[in-house]
Amino acid sequence: MRLKSIAGLVLLSGLSACSTTQKPQENINTTTNIIAPAEPEVLSAQQLYSQALELKGDQQRFKLVAAQKQALAEQDWQTLQDVSDTLLKKHPRWHTQALLVRAYAQIKLGNPNNALRESASVQAQLSTPEHFYWHQLVQGATYAYMRLNNQAVPFLLRASESADRYGIDDAEVNPLLWQSLQGLTTEQLQGFNNGSSIQQGWIQLALIKQLYLGQPVELHSASNNWQRRNPDHPARFALDEKVAQLMQVEPYKVANLGVFLPLSGGNRTLGEAVKNGVIAALDKHKFNDVYFIDANLSNEEIQAAISANSIDFAIGPLLKDNINRFEQQALLEGIPSIYLNRSDYLRQSSQHFYFALAPEHELDQALQHFMAQGFKKPLILASNDRSGTRLSEYFSTQWLRYNEQAPLVGLFDDNKAMEQVISDILEVGQSEARIELIESLFKQKVESETRSRRDIDVIYLLADATQTRLLKPYLDVNVSTFVDRIPLYASSKSHSTQIDSSDKRDLNGLYFTELPWMLPTTGVNNMTNRQLKETVQGLWPNQADIEQRLFAMGYDAITVIPELRQLSMLPGKSLPGLTGQLSVNNEGEVVRHLAWAHYQSRQIAPVNLEHISPTPLLRQELKQDPEQQPQEESSDVLATEGMAQH
């Protein structure tokens, strides 16, 4: 049967080959012979720009506008700037729009100050919805570039609303707005949860992400509810592109935790303090096994311990030298880790984080409070050593980002030099010299009181606890009674639980930042932590300040693990810890917002102080009368006139 079938096929094929009744081309499958029309060539922004330069008049303008759109799509910022320059030179009628687009290119090319100047120069010339959209986009993008998300969001929200209302391409604003919203805290987001339905939709979606990130079921349900309420909202792209990824963001699942600390040598006491904090936190956070490994071991011994114990998450090292060694030798490569200090090297992995008790966090916090209070001329008093010089320079640099005048800085070499430094800076010596001159003229004693300079409006101490207790009386004596009392602030360096137990003299009125853990029991944020503190004080009643701080650090290093992925994706998200309110920035650094406290009637009391995200100096200079600031509502009036021009 099989042979017959094959024979039949051969016969049919032979007949077909011998046939001459049909033309050969008619046997060709016509569906494969159709030639598709050639797709039009898509020209690059640079090609469109080159063509435009060969044209004149409206033809050139149309081609230049097309080149602008293509440059935006390609993110070719240099070409976008060049095209806009040509529009400005050859088509002055379109000056406002071209200049605003060029300002946007300036931001992308790393010149945000130029962008602010240019957008401010045409603020009074906004006559179309497109003008208003681009003006708000440039302002918001500039703040976003400076990582001032709280100031960027209002501008970007207005740009998004304008794009939605007038059908303007929103490809530039919406992703940037979504990114900026991720940098806001829950409290900041709540502050924007009002206004138009567009604004509220953005804020509510950002809040959903913050609240339910790492909880796939709840996130999916809340996202679906949001989508039903906002079917045509411009933030839909965030659902389409991000939610599927976000639902996969789960906390690190740690089986075998490795804790690398100095458990031998001169820093063993520090390592033991962190170890105690880690052990205390294990009551709330369970792992299969926890291995405490001496970070001072050789590289080979470290690698052997990691392999033998199947370490899948690491805490430590604590000492900076060990962190540098671990990173140089890639000892924790592929292992999610929380280093307990800063590194001298660039971050090598998105799974590596840095948790340091960095004093810079406190200086940033103090600056934000000083700006909120409207202080203009701070005086920084610090010890003339490596730490004091570094921190005073850091504060001065940050201050000059937002203020024209640099703060005054007084550095003292030792305790004996304190009074002279204060007298010189406050110009008390000049007042005393004037009094002596008057007495010499009248040949008799005159009733007098020295006067200090009057422009200093806040004093910030970067001194240890002993130095602070010497500085405070000198300041009280040398500040003139003819001026209002100058507010006095200090960092946590000025506070010592050991010294406070026996000496709080003359500190009334002093404000300082501190780890919540280091404040009196009434300042500890919840009953569980209060009980923990009482237990720790019972076990180690004479623990040194540094050991108490490191205990809190070890405890928080464990506490933050379940939230680490979520915190790293949402810079505005935070959680309370013993060392402060904890968040993670874009560089993988765990940032602490410390508690404020002040001395009152020889007691320490917690206090809430106001903070703001300060406005860069250039923006302050360009700020105009609020009545001249264009508002989104005015776009309706501008639209009819502007559309006619286009």
Side-chain angles (χ1 to χ4, degrees):
M1 188 70 182
R2 178 178 175 80
L3 290 174
K4 289 182 179 179
S5 299
I6 294 174
L9 288 171
V10 171
L11 179 61
L12 288 172
S13 65
L15 291 172
S16 175
C18 296
S19 174
T20 59
T21 60
Q22 293 180 336
K23 296 179 181 180
Q25 62 266 31
E26 291 181 358
N27 286 327
I28 297 173
N29 187 344
T30 56
T31 60
T32 62
N33 204 32
I34 296 174
I35 300 175
E39 293 199 7
E41 181 184 3
V42 178
L43 299 180
S44 69
Q46 187 59 50
Q47 289 172 322
L48 290 168
Y49 182 41
S50 298
Q51 290 182 359
L53 294 177
E54 302 297 323
L55 303 172
K56 293 183 179 179
D58 284 344
Q59 286 186 324
Q60 182 186 66
R61 178 174 62 81
F62 291 143
K63 188 70 73 172
L64 288 172
V65 171
Q68 275 187 328
K69 292 180 179 178
Q70 188 60 28
L72 283 167
E74 296 173 8
Q75 298 186 0
D76 184 350
W77 310 120
Q78 186 58 56
T79 298
L80 182 62
Q81 178 175 277
D82 295 341
V83 173
S84 301
D85 282 339
T86 302
L87 274 167
L88 284 167
K89 292 176 184 176
K90 298 191 176 183
H91 301 275
R93 181 184 173 192
W94 308 94
H95 171 269
T96 301
Q97 182 74 12
L99 189 140
L100 287 168
V101 175
R102 184 177 73 176
Y104 187 69
Q106 287 282 306
I107 300 169
K108 298 296 186 178
L109 292 170
N111 301 308
N113 290 348
N114 290 347
L116 279 177
R117 288 193 186 93
E118 292 192 347
S119 64
S121 70
V122 295
Q123 185 165 300
Q125 303 167 26
L126 307 182
S127 59
T128 73
E130 287 84 358
H131 291 170
F132 182 81
Y133 165 81
W134 278 99
H135 183 267
Q136 299 299 291
L137 174 60
V138 169
Q139 299 289 305
T142 303
Y143 283 130
Y145 179 88
M146 297 175 177
R147 297 184 181 178
L148 298 170
N149 295 309
N150 200 39
Q151 299 191 39
V153 163
F155 290 102
L156 297 176
L157 282 170
R158 287 194 288 269
S160 179
E161 289 171 344
S162 292
D164 184 75
R165 178 181 296 184
Y166 298 108
I168 300 170
D169 185 359
D170 57 11
E172 295 301 319
V173 66
N174 288 339
L176 184 58
L177 172 55
W178 183 240
Q179 178 184 347
S180 298
L181 289 171
Q182 311 314 302
L184 299 185
T185 65
T186 302
E187 292 74 17
Q188 288 171 327
L189 286 171
Q190 292 287 7
F192 288 116
N193 196 14
N194 51 42
S196 70
S197 60
I198 295 295
Q199 176 167 332
Q200 291 186 53
W202 279 109
I203 302 305
Q204 288 162 10
L205 187 59
L207 285 168
I208 287 171
K209 181 179 176 182
Q210 279 209 1
L211 293 172
Y212 299 118
L213 185 60
Q215 304 175 46
V217 175
E218 292 84 352
L219 179 62
H220 181 71
S221 175
S223 299
N224 284 342
N225 290 336
W226 181 92
Q227 196 164 22
R228 281 194 295 270
R229 295 193 305 270
N230 303 275
D232 300 316
H233 196 280
R236 291 190 313 276
F237 83 95
L239 282 176
D240 300 337
E241 298 179 6
K242 303 293 182 182
V243 167
Q245 301 173 20
L246 296 176
M247 289 176 63
Q248 299 173 9
V249 177
E250 296 183 1
Y252 283 111
K253 294 180 179 178
V254 182
N256 301 312
L257 176 67
V259 185
F260 299 86
L261 298 169
L263 301 177
S264 63
N267 292 301
R268 178 178 178 179
T269 303
L270 304 182
E272 290 291 340
V274 177
K275 179 180 177 180
N276 292 335
V278 169
I279 293 172
L282 295 178
D283 286 342
K284 290 185 175 180
H285 306 276
K286 304 296 183 183
F287 308 100
N288 290 352
D289 286 296
V290 179
Y291 300 93
F292 292 92
I293 301 167
D294 190 350
N296 293 326
L297 295 175
S298 67
N299 296 340
E300 294 75 17
E301 290 171 315
I302 294 289
Q303 289 176 327
I306 292 172
S307 178
N309 299 309
S310 301
I311 302 299
D312 56 6
F313 197 100
I315 289 177
L318 173 66
L319 303 180
K320 199 170 185 180
D321 288 344
N322 280 335
I323 291 176
N324 292 338
R325 175 168 64 94
F326 272 49
E327 292 200 317
Q328 277 185 310
Q329 302 300 320
L331 298 181
L332 295 176
E333 185 176 11
I335 300 175
S337 309
I338 301 176
Y339 293 112
L340 298 179
N341 211 325
R342 288 174 164 174
S343 170
D344 289 332
Y345 299 95
L346 292 176
R347 189 184 187 193
Q348 298 178 351
S349 168
S350 61
Q351 294 196 94
H352 289 174
F353 302 87
Y354 303 90
F355 182 13
L357 300 181
E360 286 82 358
H361 298 164
E362 301 184 58
L363 271 63
D364 290 335
Q365 189 172 333
L367 185 146
Q368 291 170 7
H369 173 63
F370 293 172
M371 295 292 289
Q373 294 297 105
F375 295 139
K376 300 296 185 185
K377 192 72 171 179
L379 165 61
I380 311 301
L381 293 174
S383 53
N384 191 17
D385 53 24
R386 183 177 178 182
S387 174
T389 302
R390 175 176 63 87
L391 294 178
S392 59
E393 289 177 352
Y394 176 85
F395 186 92
S396 297
T397 300
Q398 294 299 101
W399 182 263
L400 285 172
R401 291 180 62 194
Y402 312 106
N403 299 272
E404 292 182 346
Q405 288 187 320
L408 292 169
V409 177
L411 301 176
F412 50 85
D413 292 304
D414 51 43
N415 295 348
K416 294 181 180 179
M418 288 180 186
E419 188 171 13
Q420 187 60 49
V421 168
I422 292 172
S423 177
D424 291 345
I425 289 180
L426 296 179
E427 298 177 356
V428 175
Q430 297 178 26
S431 177
E432 291 174 341
R434 289 192 294 271
I435 293 171
E436 290 179 3
L437 176 60
I438 292 172
E439 288 180 341
S440 66
L441 291 174
F442 287 93
K443 306 297 184 182
Q444 64 179 10
K445 277 281 186 183
V446 296
E447 187 175 342
S448 62
E449 185 171 340
T450 57
R451 293 175 181 264
S452 59
R453 60 188 299 169
R454 307 183 67 165
D455 56 338
I456 296 171
D457 51 10
V458 63
I459 298 174
Y460 191 38
L461 304 182
L462 296 173
D464 63 33
T466 301
Q467 293 166 339
T468 298
R469 281 153 180 76
L470 293 173
L471 283 166
K472 178 67 163 55
Y474 291 152
L475 290 167
D476 289 341
V477 169
N478 285 282
V479 173
S480 172
T481 58
F482 295 99
V483 299
D484 294 334
R485 187 181 184 89
I486 301 177
L488 185 60
Y489 295 82
S491 69
S492 62
K493 188 178 178 182
S494 71
H495 176 239
S496 167
T497 57
Q498 295 172 315
I499 295 179
D500 269 350
S501 63
S502 59
D503 183 7
K504 296 187 183 71
R505 59 179 175 177
D506 300 321
L507 292 180
N508 277 352
L510 174 67
Y511 292 86
F512 64 99
T513 43
E514 183 57 286
L515 281 64
W517 180 250
M518 298 297 290
L519 295 175
T521 306
T522 54
V524 178
N525 53 24
N526 61 51
M527 181 59 70
T528 303
N529 289 347
R530 200 171 301 171
Q531 293 171 347
L532 173 64
K533 186 164 188 178
E534 291 170 357
T535 300
V536 170
Q537 288 175 336
L539 291 171
W540 300 288
N542 299 315
Q543 200 174 34
D545 290 325
I546 184 61
E547 293 172 358
Q548 294 183 56
R549 298 179 192 279
L550 291 174
F551 173 94
M553 184 190 208
Y555 191 96
D556 280 357
I558 296 293
T559 302
V560 81
I561 291 175
E563 301 280 349
L564 199 53
R565 272 185 168 149
Q566 294 91 314
L567 291 171
S568 64
M569 292 188 68
L570 294 171
K573 186 178 176 66
S574 65
L575 78 159
L578 302 186
T579 59
Q581 196 74 15
L582 306 177
S583 60
V584 177
N585 65 18
N586 293 327
E587 286 75 40
E589 181 182 11
V590 179
V591 179
R592 302 170 302 128
H593 186 89
L594 283 73
W596 281 103
H598 72 140
Y599 288 91
Q600 187 177 40
S601 301
R602 295 182 176 268
Q603 299 296 323
I604 294 176
V607 61
N608 291 321
L609 298 183
E610 182 184 2
H611 299 83
I612 63 168
S613 298
T615 301
L617 183 59
L618 179 65
R619 176 61 190 164
Q620 296 173 38
E621 295 171 350
L622 296 176
K623 213 168 192 178
Q624 297 188 6
D625 186 340
E627 293 182 1
Q628 298 178 5
Q629 186 75 10
Q631 298 298 320
E632 203 278 334
E633 291 77 12
S634 65
S635 299
D636 288 322
V637 179
L638 302 175
T640 53
E641 298 175 358
M643 292 302 182
Q645 295 179 21
H646 288 274

